Amino acid sequence: MTVTLHVCITCRAGQELREGETTPGARLHAAILGLSVPKGVEVVPVECLSACSQGCSVALSAPGRWSYVYGRLSDANAGDVITGAAAYAAAPDGIVPWRRRPEIFRKQSLARIPPITPLIAAPEAAE
Amino acid sequence: MTVTLHVCITCRAGQELREGETTPGARLHAAILGLSVPKGVEVVPVECLSACSQGCSVALSAPGRWSYVYGRLSDANAGDVITGAAAYAAAPDGIVPWRRRPEIFRKQSLARIPPITPLIAAPEAAE
């Protein structure tokens, strides 16, 4: 299954930036794209994941799976983010065994959200 | 549209609990159910939203919409959580104008995740 790795590119990670300076979030995004992104992972930049006090942040999601948000990242973590995203993509249900998650995913979780399942209307009762 | 309000019922919110004591998360869940849950909001308990250091926490999600996670909540916030969930359900795209969000939603966001859209395979090229 192809999963989406959203990377917040507007994140300042609490830093004061000079005018025109690249944000830490954009640097993380560029660092990820500069590595070999595995098949099954689509990297999508996003403006603000609303985790500003815990940035930089990324989110992993896919239809029918738990979504995960990780924070307190920098461009130095690009490789581990890709490793974790690849493991999420490869896990049949998206749930990666704890020990196989990179340390930043074990220790820097901001949140996870259960799968979004459309509510199925009850079938019409037979007459 | 019916939206889902996930409430983490295992959250200890950093407290030491006596054996058998109800968790702060379960108290928040009970407080929400004790109020009038509006049509269009389905309250679903969940074991851990992985926001343990920022609990209690809740998540709002629905197919095709941004998901939101809020934290640092207690059972005293049940009414505001319901108000915010109702506004999310009522907004055609799930994006509630900033000023119409309850203060806890404006100030206690942990994360938001873009809509999960299944990747559509490109149509076969015509011969």
Side-chain angles (χ1 to χ4, degrees):
Chain A
M1 170 182 279
T2 296
V3 305
T4 302
L5 173 66
H6 282 104
V7 181
C8 177
I9 57 167
T10 46
C11 192
R12 294 168 175 269
Q15 298 173 26
E16 295 278 337
L17 299 182
R18 293 185 302 277
E19 193 177 328
E21 186 178 353
T22 306
T23 61
R27 290 205 298 271
L28 172 59
H29 180 246
I32 288 170
L33 293 184
L35 297 174
S36 176
V37 176
K39 193 177 165 186
V41 177
E42 187 188 31
V43 179
V44 178
V46 57
E47 293 190 352
C48 197
L49 287 172
S50 286
C52 311
S53 68
Q54 302 284 321
C56 302
S57 60
V58 301
L60 275 170
S61 59
R65 295 184 171 203
W66 286 77
S67 300
Y68 296 86
V69 188
Y70 303 101
R72 302 188 296 281
L73 303 171
S74 76
D75 51 1
N77 301 122
D80 280 343
V81 169
I82 285 178
T83 298
Y88 176 73
D93 56 3
I95 298 178
V96 179
W98 185 258
R99 287 167 183 266
R100 293 185 51 204
R101 302 179 191 185
E103 186 171 355
I104 52 169
F105 280 20
R106 294 199 301 268
K107 297 191 172 174
Q108 290 164 226
S109 165
L110 299 188
R112 63 175 193 167
I113 302 179
I116 295 169
T117 46
L119 297 174
I120 309 298
E124 297 287 337
E127 284 185 14
Chain B
M1 170 180 280
T2 296
V3 305
T4 302
L5 173 66
H6 282 104
V7 182
C8 177
I9 57 168
T10 47
C11 191
R12 295 167 175 269
Q15 300 174 25
E16 293 278 338
L17 300 182
R18 294 184 302 276
E19 193 177 327
E21 186 177 351
T22 304
T23 61
R27 289 205 299 272
L28 172 58
H29 180 245
I32 288 170
L33 295 184
L35 297 174
S36 177
V37 176
K39 192 178 166 187
V41 177
E42 186 188 33
V43 180
V44 178
V46 58
E47 294 190 352
C48 198
L49 287 173
S50 287
C52 311
S53 68
Q54 301 285 322
C56 299
S57 61
V58 302
L60 275 172
S61 59
R65 294 182 173 204
W66 285 77
S67 300
Y68 297 85
V69 189
Y70 302 102
R72 303 188 296 279
L73 303 171
S74 76
D75 50 3
N77 300 122
D80 281 343
V81 169
I82 286 180
T83 298
Y88 176 74
D93 56 2
I95 298 178
V96 179
W98 185 257
R99 287 166 183 268
R100 293 185 52 204
R101 301 179 191 185
E103 188 172 354
I104 52 168
F105 280 19
R106 293 199 302 266
K107 297 191 173 174
Q108 291 165 226
S109 165
L110 299 188
R112 63 175 193 167
I113 302 178
I116 296 170
T117 47
L119 296 173
I120 308 299
E124 297 287 338
E127 285 184 15

